Amino acid sequence: MLRSFLLSTHSRRNRRVTYNSNLAFTSLAPSPFTPNAANPLLCKPRNLNSRIDPSPPSPVSLEHLVNLYKSSQSQPSSWPFSPSKFDLYESLVIRYRDSRNLRDAKEFHLQCFKFGFDGDLFLSNTLINVYVRAGNLMSARKLLDEMPQRNTVTWSCLISGYNQNGMPNDACRVFKEMVSSDFLPTHYAIGSALRACQELGSYGLQFGLQIHGLISKSQYSFDGVVCNVLMSMYWSCLGCIIDARRVFDEIQVKNSIAWNSIISVYSQSGDAASTFELFSRMQSESTGFSTKPNEYTFGSLITAACSSTGFGFCLLEQMLCRITKSGFLSDLYVGSALVSGFSRIGLTNYALKIFGQMSQRNAVSVNGLMVGLVRQKRGEEAAKVFMEMANLVDKNFDSYVILLSSFAEFSELEQGQRKGREVHAHLIRRGLTDTVSAFGNGLINMYAKCGDIAASRSVFRLMVNKDSISWNTMISGLDQNECFEDALTSFCAMRKTGLLPSNYAVISALSSCASLGWSILGQQIHGEGLKLGLDLDVSVSNALLALYASVGCLSECKNIFSLMLDHDQVSWNSVIGALAVSGSSVSEAVIYFSDMMRTGCDPNRITFINILAAVASLSLRNLGHQIHTLVIKYHLANDSSIENALLACYGKCGEMDECEKIFSRMSERRDDGSWNSMISGYIHNELSHKAVNLVWFMMQRGQKLDGFTFATVLSACASVATLERGMEVHACAVRACLESDVVVGSAIVDMYSKCGRIDYASRFFNLMPIRNVYSWNSMISGYARHGHGDKALELFKLMNLNGQLPDHVTFVGVLSACSHVGLVEEGFTHFNSMTEVYGLAPKMEHFSCMVDLLGRAGELDKIDNFINTMPMKPNVLIWRTVLGACCRANGEKTELGRKAAQMLFDLEPQNAVNYVLLANMYASGGKWEGVAEARVAMRRAAAKKEVGCSWVTMKDGVHVFVAGDKSHPDNDLIYEKLKELNKKMRDAGYVPQTRYALYDLEQESKEELLSYHSEKLAVAFVLTRNSGLPIRIMKNLRVCGDCHMAFKYISKIVGRLIVLRDSNRFHHFNDGKCSCGDYW
């Protein structure tokens, strides 16, 4: 057989077809592109090569050329060798034809010269093949140039060799020479040239189109090999499925290779539906063995299944069954694809099972499994797979790179870093660190993710050949390790090297700008991205959204979002998250969420967390329930982060019952955020006793409290003024070494001031090592609340001297201090300084403080004018302050009070406080008809008045009292003590202030009514116990004038300090005097 093959081959070596190359690239192959002079591959319309006569060719038909080609394949009449020499000839062919060794190639070449075979065409072609397989393309090319005669096989071997050795430019150039030398290329040569064009991308596309034109009217226009390569080229170079599909549809007889090619194109495009549709057609149109699916078909289908959103697992399961049925499960290629596929979608247990069943494994299957384990953050298992397969499978460069990435996913990063250093040392010993940049890049990435950014920098600095990936990895690592300025410096250094930044580098640089709040540099990088066309990348646009959101540029944020061609989950989450925390634009977050749902983009856990934060800010109960329903629909109800967001949302919306249901279901999923959300919810809904009880339950369970929890708990203690509990929490914070934490420290100051121990608050504040604006605000507000307005203003001056800029909360404390001590002029000075000195626009609460200041000073005439000059429409806070000021005017300015009451009724018709204040105003002036009208109006509006109560905390618990209360177990002792106190007070000169009895009753009845107020019952109860400690009483409403007067007498009679906290401030009664100076 070999002899007959050699005879027929040798007979063709002296023939060469005459072929006009210009015709092929003009008449037969008009290019849709204008030839580019800068691209040496493109052929000019009339002159492909200087060796061709430039004169216009005579038209030659394709049929004539084909006939010439066929005639060139005729047999010679005789064999030129003697039988003995033929045996030598045959032995050379057998010995060297499959060799891949350069030494063998040189020996073969020498033998041909030695025995006079150097001019033999068949042996020369075989020698070219051996040189190609050995990777010595220079010798192969030199041999072709020296050959006296060549045929199409000669050219095809060299073209294929260049292509296989990663030299697509040379492959295209040799193909051009082949055509210019009047050889009609075979489908193998055409296929190799088209693959070379595919490798060159857009640079080789035009030449590929010319080749397509060349073969479009030849017998190869429907050739399976050529058409398959054309499909692949059009997809790779243009990303256009339409052109690839058109080539496929033109194939008259489709075999499995053609089907595999088009299925592969659709699979790579991510169109899983079309991929499986084509697979179905392939089976239905099957005409025999040639169209049956093979390992390559299943490989493409596995890839398509992985790209299918939501159906990946289902499709892969079906493919696994079909592959098992077809007998391809033992195939190395298919098995590796399955391992990689199941790993990619996170089903590493399936991947491990298939991997274990594989009879044969290679680096691809091992790498696929390791990648899946790394993605699932199972770094230890990935490293274990590498070690177990180390001596069983040949490793490649990718194996080491994946291994390095696995160390960053170890449960203990220190162990991962240690293993990474061992691999680093192994690579150095083997001299591999400088062989390819991938090793250096992997080391940079590994050290950066393990937190050793210094080692990353060292590897990067010592790298000989840095590519764009090296820079991108270094910039990203610096950003992730919070070396933001260094990341931006590296980005600028990369630009100076001439390397173009990729989308990853731009994303990391923008992230660093966002973290630093550097909007100007961020805008410059934005401009750089626009020039490079990277703004079309959705990830870059998402980074821009995050940047502008972090610096508060919401208009830019919305503008970028509107210009994006495509939005993914991150895009929607970024814009919704930015709006949810914006304050003024929170309602727009709901609109964007609705738009997201309409577009069909599924929300994820981040989406729900952001939108629930917006709903919480807006207190939209119904919408909160709808979002909760969606959470259940998307199977995210058991996600602890979303549950915490729901707790916060329902808490802000006043639905603590829902919070308790969710919290009870969480069980083992409760974290610090869950406890904190519940505590905050109780405090927000004025259920402070429940908050304190929950804290105690939390501490009894041994639940560790973090800084935020301590701050929240202390806030709860401050709300109900439970000093003892607050001190215990303070002690816990000391044991947890959190006392020096500025947030916890500020909460401790606030707790002591709100629990009546302004002395403790002041002492702790002075001992704080670090203070922030919250610390100063807590102390200033504390002094103001306790009537120490002068100390509050002195502390404000000290705050400025220490370089701490005040904020809006600071001025609420300062203006309250001025109000409590009657400093009208100084109050207006500080109010004006907000805009003139500090650039702070006054808010509603600041205007309320000024109205209160004027009201307490008795300057009611100025209140109306002040309200009229406000830049905003007064709200309930302003009008309630006005009405409260009119209550203290003893019946004066009732017209202003009625106006304020009417505004309150319009704004809050069911708030009982408004009606009570109006009734109090009428009662203070003795206008009992007005009182009756106010009470009728309250009943008509179905408004429920809050019951006034007072409470004291004793060793045996909290004791609560209401006016005229007789339900206490020590009722008899309390009323006996109260009777004793009344007698002693009258003896000391006390006269009941009956004008504070807000009912039209007889004088004696009014006095009796006043004597049983809740705060008097509370103080009488405390005095029934033997103690010399200060008496601390809390009241939920403002203390009345009569009780205020009585407490001054009681403090002198019993010789004890009485601290009374009402809804407005603290009163310290001592030796017959009050800290407020009767200005309250």
Side-chain angles (χ1 to χ4, degrees), residues 733-841:
V734 173
R735 287 196 297 271
C737 301
L738 289 171
E739 188 184 26
S740 59
D741 183 270
V742 67
V743 176
V744 176
S746 302
I748 290 172
V749 171
D750 185 59
M751 182 272 296
Y752 279 127
S753 69
K754 287 181 178 177
C755 290
R757 295 310 302 258
I758 192 67
D759 53 337
Y760 285 6
S762 177
R763 188 185 310 165
F764 186 85
F765 176 81
N766 292 328
L767 293 173
M768 286 181 71
I770 301 172
R771 303 184 188 110
N772 62 10
V773 67
Y774 305 109
S775 317
W776 292 96
N777 291 349
S778 298
M779 198 67 243
I780 291 170
S781 298
Y783 278 135
R785 197 178 295 114
H786 284 265
H788 303 308
D790 50 347
K791 290 185 178 180
L793 297 174
E794 283 296 326
L795 191 63
F796 177 66
K797 292 178 183 177
L798 184 62
M799 177 183 181
N800 285 318
L801 290 174
N802 277 268
Q804 178 64 61
L805 289 174
D807 62 5
H808 288 91
V809 179
T810 313
F811 278 100
V812 171
V814 169
L815 296 176
S816 296
C818 294
S819 175
H820 286 310
V821 293
L823 300 175
V824 178
E825 290 186 8
E826 189 167 352
F828 271 96
T829 300
H830 288 299
F831 180 78
N832 294 329
S833 71
M834 287 184 67
T835 52
E836 296 172 2
V837 179
Y838 301 103
L840 298 172

Side-chain angles (χ1 to χ4, degrees), residues 842-862:
K843 295 185 177 180
M844 196 66 74
E845 50 265 35
H846 302 105
F847 288 101
S848 177
C849 288
M850 296 309 296
V851 171
D852 186 59
L853 173 62
L854 293 171
R856 289 180 186 277
E859 300 183 16
L860 300 181
D861 295 332
K862 295 182 179 179

Side-chain angles (χ1 to χ4, degrees), residues 647-667:
L647 289 175
C649 178
Y650 281 130
K652 290 283 182 69
C653 293
E655 298 197 35
M656 287 309 297
D657 291 341
E658 289 291 336
C659 288
E660 289 171 350
K661 289 177 185 176
I662 295 169
F663 188 74
S664 64
R665 287 197 301 265
M666 290 180 71
S667 185

Side-chain angles (χ1 to χ4, degrees), residues 938-981:
M938 183 169 71
R939 283 195 295 271
R940 192 180 298 121
K944 293 183 178 181
K945 177 187 174 184
E946 182 183 7
V947 178
C949 66
S950 301
W951 65 92
V952 291
T953 304
M954 308 295 284
K955 289 183 178 179
D956 57 349
V958 178
H959 298 262
V960 183
F961 301 89
V962 296
D965 190 1
K966 293 187 178 182
S967 61
H968 197 277
D970 297 334
N971 178 65
D972 295 339
L973 289 174
I974 293 170
Y975 277 89
E976 186 179 342
K977 176 60 72 174
L978 191 57
K979 185 177 180 181
E980 178 188 332
L981 286 173

